[in-house]
């Protein structure tokens, strides 16, 4: 029990004279030199680096404290000291440590409908901390340098936390911008001069040593170790040694570039929800990777914001902190990543204002609540989640906890947050749309920006080769009366369901194409299980498979790849049937389960002709995916208004891809 009550409210950048945009980090560095300099100096200060500017610090707003909120160490945040700790996690309480899986001891919400809303005040907190320090520094600069009057303080008031759009058009070619990994950075100084300083975005060194509950993660088969109990700083793709020289940036860049196109496609699909969806279920599908409202027979899948977010974590982390929920918050790039997640949330809720979590969902006439299955530091196992429920540990100025209802929206109808994002494809998220037509047209532009444009793609593929692909006729009830189906065109995705605790750590399913006469071998996409190791007493217990949640995801298959498969197998000219084309698609795929280092855990060959994996070499049922299946949908366009987004209809489930079984290629798969 804390001896006194103390609460540090999360107000964002209140009192700065208005609502200002969170800018892309590249734009902040290039076009706003004073803001960028203050951002770097203030970030250095809250990290408490030895060469940081000396400022008056709020203990709860240091980077060490803010980062600790997300996962380990499992302790009370300094900004929410409470006398009543009856529901709080305790490492010495068997009700928290002995369940299988054990209760999560960090504050963050994952695998639940409040994933997007919980992380919004979290990013506001670091924005507030850095902004307050930036203002303090700006006042000092102008007080000591009268010629600089009116420059630095204005920049500080307008400063908002930047984001990095990891699904931007340039990322497949360029990967991460240098400002995110270079250990030195050039900033503006007094007198329009420049200076080179340590870059606080590249890594963070723990203050006061490594927290006592950090533990190493070791792969006995490969000997690879993530030395979390010994590393004094954060790393990305670290060398397996207790004292690496630095992050393996070349491997980070290579890996991220390889996965970037898939990220773009998956972001685009987040904006393909139709206008006539069930509100609560649409929010569930979009918001999180568990999708509590889904049943086994549900195969309509646009992916989730959390699911894309999960893959970005492991692409950035490798065997470093970003790949582990317990430690991810300590890598400074975490917050630029989540600022972009928040940007995508802002765009989505602007486009889909009516879709919301509500108080639960309905199935077959029965009402079901939303829950946080694993608990958190402040939430017990299976605690009900409500729109007006608390988002601990973040409090408002009034002393109450933030709620998901308050976290919604950045426009005038929303609770004040004092930030916005730059205009994107005609959308300004702090200004509500004037009509549903405006929202719909914007959705189509967002889809196209992230490379989902079936109307254009249908004209680019070899239409004669696709003519055997079935589509519903205009009388089909699945097709809206004011829409017409694009002839002979379907969009294909792979539907994925993975076991959260299959390997007791984060891992991914990767879909690869073998290559054919018209296409080179390529990585198609990834679905990631971003989870913490469970160290409950029943470590290898089969119960974990049944007790753990199922992570859902999807991988869009580019139409260019489908086109190459169809053409390489005779196309429509040789009388190939749709069933044969489905078999050809599956037969050209290879599946891999990999850990965060990219090491293979299990592999599978697709198609009906794949050789059955011998029983003695097969991966255990406790690790194999629940489902990897091929799904397709027809695409309908509005008859009169071509600016409206397409309508996805006639979803068809084409069964599993890897029916020959999974070959165990790692001892943890046996």
């Amino acid at each position: 029990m804390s001896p006194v009550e103390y609460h540090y409210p999360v107000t964002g950048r209140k009192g700065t004279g208005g609502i200002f945009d969170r800018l892309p980090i590249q734009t902040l560095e290039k076009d706003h030199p004073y803001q960028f300099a203050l951002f770097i100096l203030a970030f250095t200060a809250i990290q408490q680096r030895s060469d940081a500017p000396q400022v008056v610090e709020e203990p709860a707003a240091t980077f060490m404290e803010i980062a600790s909120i997300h996962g380990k160490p499992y302790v009370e945040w300094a900004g929410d000291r409470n006398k009543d700790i009856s529901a709080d996690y305790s490492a010495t309480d068997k009700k928290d440590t002995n369940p299988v899986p054990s209760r999560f001891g960090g504050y963050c919400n994952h695998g639940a409908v409040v994933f997007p809303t919980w992380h919004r005040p979290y990013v506001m907190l670091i924005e507030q901390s850095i902004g307050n320090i930036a203002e303090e520094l700006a006042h000092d600069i102008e007080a000591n340098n009268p010629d600089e009057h009116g420059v630095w303080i204005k920049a500080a008031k307008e400063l908002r936390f930047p984001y990095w759009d990891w699904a931007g058009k340039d990322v497949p070619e360029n990967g991460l911008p240098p400002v995110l990994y270079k250990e030195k950075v050039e900033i503006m100084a007094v007198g329009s001069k420049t200076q080179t300083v340590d870059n606080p975005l590249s890594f963070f060194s723990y203050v006061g040593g490594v927290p006592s509950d950090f533990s190493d993660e070791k792969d006995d088969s490969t000997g690879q170790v993530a030395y979390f109990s010994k590393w004094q700083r954060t790393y990305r793709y670290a060398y397996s040694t207790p004292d690496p020289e630095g992050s393996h940036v070349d491997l980070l860049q290579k890996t991220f570039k390889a996965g970037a196109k898939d990220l773009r496609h998956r972001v685009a699909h987040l904006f393909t929800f139709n206008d006539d969806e069930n509100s609560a279920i649409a929010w569930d599908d979009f918001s999180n990777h568990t999708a509590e409202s889904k049943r086994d027979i549900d195969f309509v899948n646009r992916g989730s914001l959390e699911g894309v977010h999960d893959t970005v974590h492991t692409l950035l982390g490798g065997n470093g902190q970003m790949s582990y929920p317990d430690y991810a918050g300590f890598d400074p790039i975490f917050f630029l990543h989540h600022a972009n997640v928040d940007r995508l949330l802002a765009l989505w809720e602007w486009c889909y204002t009516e879709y919301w979590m509500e108080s639960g969902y309905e199935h077959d006439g029965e009402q079901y609540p939303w829950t946080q299955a694993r608990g958190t530091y402040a939430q017990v196992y299976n605690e009900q989640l409500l729109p007006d429920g608390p988002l601990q540990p973040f409090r408002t100025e009034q002393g109450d906890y933030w709620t998901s209802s308050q976290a919604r929206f950045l426009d005038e109808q929303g609770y004040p947050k004092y930030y916005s994002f730059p205009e994107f494809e005609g959308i300004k998220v702090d200004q509500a749309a004037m009509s549903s037509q405006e929202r719909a047209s914007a959705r189509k532009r967002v889809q196209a920006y992230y490379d989902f444009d079936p109307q254009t793609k249908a004209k680019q593929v070899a239409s004669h080769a696709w003519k055997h692909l079935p589509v519903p006729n205009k009388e089909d009830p699945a097709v809206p009366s004011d829409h017409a189906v694009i002839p002979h065109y379907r969009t294909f995705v792979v539907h994925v369901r993975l076991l959260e605790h299959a390997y007791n750590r984060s891992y991914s399913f990767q879909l690869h194409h073998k290559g054919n006469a018209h296409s080179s071998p390529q990585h198609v996409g990834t679905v990631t299980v971003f989870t913490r190791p469970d160290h409950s007493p029943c470590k290898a217990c089969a119960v974990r498979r049944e007790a753990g949640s199922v992570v859902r995801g999807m991988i869009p298959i580019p139409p260019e790849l489908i086109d190459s498969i169809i053409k390489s197998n005779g196309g429509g000219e040789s009388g190939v049937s749709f069933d044969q084309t489905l078999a050809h698609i599956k037969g050209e795929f290879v599946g891999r389960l990999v850990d965060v280092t990219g090491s293979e855990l299990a592999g599978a060959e697709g198609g009906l002709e794949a050789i059955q994996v011998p029983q003695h070499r097969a991966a255990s049922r406790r690790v194999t995916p629940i489902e990897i299946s091929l799904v397709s949908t027809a695409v309908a366009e509005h008859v009169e208004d071509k600016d409206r987004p397409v309508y996805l209809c006639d979803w068809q489930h084409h069964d599993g891809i890897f029916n020959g079984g999974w070959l165990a290629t790692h001892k943890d798969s046996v």
Side-chain angles (χ1 to χ4, degrees), residues 9-20 22 117 120-125 127-128 160 342 349 394-398 402-420 429-430:
V10 177
T11 59
R13 299 293 286 127
K14 181 180 180 180
T16 56
I19 296 170
F20 298 99
R22 291 178 176 172
T117 53
R120 177 162 275 175
Y122 192 26
V123 178
M124 286 178 65
L125 171 60
E127 180 170 71
Q128 175 179 328
R160 297 296 184 266
D342 188 71
E349 64 186 0
F394 311 118
R395 292 186 185 259
T396 67
E397 260 187 315
Q398 290 70 41
W402 275 79
T403 68
S404 291
S405 295
Q406 289 171 322
R408 282 184 91 187
F409 301 127
L410 299 183
D411 59 26
E412 290 182 353
Q413 66 178 307
Y415 190 80
K417 301 174 184 70
Y418 309 104
Y419 73 90
S420 183
V429 293
D430 60 326

Side-chain angles (χ1 to χ4, degrees), residues 498-511:
L498 304 172
L499 291 160
E500 180 184 6
H501 298 295
Y503 290 98
N504 202 27
R505 60 187 185 274
S506 295
Y507 72 100
S508 296
F509 164 74
Q510 292 182 348
L511 183 70

Side-chain angles (χ1 to χ4, degrees), residues 76 156 320 344 359 379 391 444 508 563 571-572 596 637:
E76 186 178 55
L344 293 173
S359 58
Q379 295 168 301
L391 299 178
K444 181 176 181 179
S508 296
D563 195 45
V596 295
E637 58 184 349

Side-chain angles (χ1 to χ4, degrees), residues 97-247:
T97 58
N98 279 17
V100 181
S102 60
R103 178 179 171 183
F104 175 52
Y107 283 102
C108 74
N109 266 271
H110 287 268
V113 290
V114 298
F115 163 78
T117 53
W118 184 91
H119 284 83
R120 177 162 275 175
Y122 192 26
V123 178
M124 286 178 65
L125 171 60
I126 194 169
E127 180 170 71
Q128 175 179 328
S129 175
I130 287 176
N132 290 347
I133 298 298
E135 281 202 65
E136 188 177 333
L137 294 172
H139 279 282
D140 288 346
I141 291 171
E142 292 197 10
N144 295 319
N145 300 274
D147 292 344
E148 307 278 322
H149 180 72
V151 175
W152 293 92
I153 293 176
K154 178 178 182 295
K157 287 186 177 296
E158 294 179 1
L159 176 63
R160 297 296 184 266
F161 198 89
Y163 68 91
W164 175 50
D165 183 6
W166 29 255
K169 290 182 177 180
D170 67 314
V171 179
E173 181 69 27
N174 299 326
L176 283 70
V179 68
L180 295 182
Y181 59 81
K182 293 285 189 183
E183 295 195 1
K184 296 288 183 179
V185 65
E186 189 176 87
I187 62 171
M188 178 67 73
V190 172
S192 297
K193 298 177 181 178
T194 60
Q195 62 176 325
T196 300
V197 298
D198 287 342
N199 182 6
L201 306 182
S202 60
F203 67 88
F204 169 65
S205 295
Y206 300 114
V207 177
V210 180
S212 60
D213 63 348
F214 282 24
S215 58
D216 298 343
E217 296 298 334
K218 183 177 182 181
D219 185 331
D220 292 328
S221 292
T222 64
Q224 291 285 313
V225 181
Y227 289 94
F228 294 126
S229 73
K230 300 177 180 64
W231 287 340
Q232 300 296 312
R233 49 156 282 188
T234 58
Y235 294 95
R236 302 165 198 157
Y237 292 85
Y239 294 92
S240 184
T241 171
D243 189 23
E245 289 186 9
S247 297

